[in-house]
């Protein structure tokens, strides 16, 4: 079911967005060469506890995962792109890391993801990250009342095509509210003018994720982490936004 939020409810969602954004900023700063992924998860867990928030991941057990996730942060490294389950791995110079984080504050959820290179960057990795960020910005630009979800999908897919990237359609954006995943689905490619109408009060997570040289995924042995089928690098950018009469509000906007 697709739910529309009142202006007061969107205002009430802002603290969740601010907390998710500030947590990702803090984790980005801590994710240096030698940092263990499990330590990053512990930091996120501490920040959740200090804020009085709730994790959306800890006991999450959807059909596409293998049992409860068990952690509060998704950590996807290099060829891993989605649902990266934290494990004992110390970050190496040049690793491409994606952090995906969702939390609930006062009963409202926000969801966001960032990708960045730890240590010395490879220009190809930076170009891939830039493509996801440009795709996210392009989708947000057309996230206005009167357009449709297909317009968001087309904006994302057009950036991918211009960058020479193919797009996987198995996972994409989604509604956000009292729970982390809801309707409507927002694919990362599609046709303009198709799909669900963007109405005032709709809150969605838009999340372009690309792989350098494939559109096929494989699941790691942990039953959760999704990787590129050919081992190529991956990147993922995500924001939770609210559709309003005055344009989109990025609830998970991070400080520069």
């Amino acid at each position: 079911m697709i739910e529309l939020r009142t202006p007061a409810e969107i205002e009430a969602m802002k603290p969740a967005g601010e907390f998710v954004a500030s947590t990702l900023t803090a984790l980005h700063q801590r994710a240096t060469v030698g940092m263990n992924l499990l330590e990053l998860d512990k930091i996120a867990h501490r920040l959740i506890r200090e804020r009085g928030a709730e994790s959306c991941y800890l006991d999450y057990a959807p059909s596409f995962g293998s049992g409860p996730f068990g952690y509060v942060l998704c950590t996807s490294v290099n060829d891993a792109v989605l649902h990266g389950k934290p494990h004992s791995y110390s970050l190496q110079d040049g690793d491409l890391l994606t952090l995906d984080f969702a939390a609930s504050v006062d009963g409202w959820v926000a969801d966001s993801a960032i990708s960045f290179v730890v240590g010395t960057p490879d220009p190809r990795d930076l170009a891939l990250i830039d493509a996801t960020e440009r795709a996210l910005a392009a989708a947000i630009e057309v996230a206005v009342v009167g357009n449709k979800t297909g317009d968001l999908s087309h904006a994302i897919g057009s950036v991918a095509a211009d960058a020479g990237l193919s797009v996987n359609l198995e996972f994409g954006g989604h509604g956000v509210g009292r729970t982390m995943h809801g309707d409507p689905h927002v694919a990362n490619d599609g046709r303009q003018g198709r799909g669900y109408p963007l109405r005032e009060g709709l809150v969605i997570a838009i999340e372009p994720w690309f792989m350098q040289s494939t559109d096929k995924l494989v699941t790691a042995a942990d039953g959760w982490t999704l990787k590129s089928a050919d081992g190529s690098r991956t990147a993922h950018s995500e924001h939770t936004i609210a559709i309003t009469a005055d344009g989109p509000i990025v609830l998970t906007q991070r400080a520069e």
Side-chain angles (χ1 to χ4, degrees):
M1 181 176 69
I2 296 174
E3 298 181 272
L4 302 178
R5 304 300 175 186
T6 66
E9 287 176 323
I10 291 174
E11 192 67 26
M13 295 184 76
K14 288 182 178 180
E18 291 166 358
F19 171 66
V20 167
S22 65
T23 298
L24 284 175
T25 296
L27 293 171
H28 186 182
Q29 293 170 347
R30 295 294 299 274
T32 55
V33 173
M35 171 64 74
N36 194 287
L37 298 181
L38 293 176
E39 184 61 27
L40 286 174
D41 184 75
K42 288 180 181 179
I43 294 169
H45 208 136
R46 174 176 57 79
L47 292 173
I48 289 171
R49 185 172 60 253
E50 290 175 351
R51 180 61 177 81
E54 294 183 9
S55 170
C56 294
Y57 294 164
L58 195 59
D59 298 318
Y60 193 48
S63 59
F64 55 78
S66 178
F69 186 72
Y71 296 88
V72 301
L73 179 68
C74 288
T75 55
S76 302
V77 182
N78 295 333
D79 61 338
V81 64
L82 297 174
H83 314 155
K85 195 168 186 176
H87 58 285
S88 186
Y89 173 81
S90 295
L91 292 167
Q92 305 296 305
D93 185 46
D95 277 345
L96 198 169
L97 175 63
T98 295
L99 301 177
D100 194 348
F101 181 68
S104 173
V105 174
D106 299 326
W108 295 106
V109 171
D111 189 4
S112 186
I114 56 172
S115 290
F116 53 92
V117 176
V118 177
T120 309
D122 184 316
R124 293 171 298 178
D125 291 343
L126 296 181
L128 182 65
I129 294 168
D130 180 66
T132 67
E133 293 175 345
R134 287 188 291 110
L136 179 56
I140 292 172
E141 186 175 355
V142 297
V144 297
V145 174
N147 280 347
K148 295 186 176 180
T149 53
D151 295 301
L152 309 180
S153 301
H154 177 77
I156 293 168
S158 295
V159 172
D162 289 345
L165 302 169
S166 55
V167 177
N168 178 288
L169 299 178
E170 294 175 70
F171 297 91
H174 49 88
V176 178
R178 293 292 189 181
T179 60
M180 177 172 55
H181 287 144
D183 293 327
H185 174 72
V186 183
N188 284 331
D189 198 10
R191 297 176 62 182
Q192 290 176 298
R194 297 292 185 92
Y196 181 78
L198 302 182
R199 299 174 180 172
E200 186 176 355
L202 181 66
V203 180
I204 53 176
I206 303 174
E207 50 179 314
W209 57 274
F210 302 145
M211 300 178 282
Q212 278 181 337
S213 55
T214 184
D215 61 0
K216 301 295 190 299
L217 288 168
V218 293
T219 304
D222 63 18
W224 273 98
T225 305
L226 296 177
K227 298 186 174 187
S228 63
D230 63 357
S232 62
R233 297 289 184 117
T234 69
H236 176 196
S237 294
E238 178 182 17
H239 273 312
T240 297
I241 72 163
I243 309 295
T244 77
D246 298 322
I249 298 174
V250 180
L251 297 174
T252 51
Q253 185 65 56
R254 295 179 296 279
E256 294 295 333

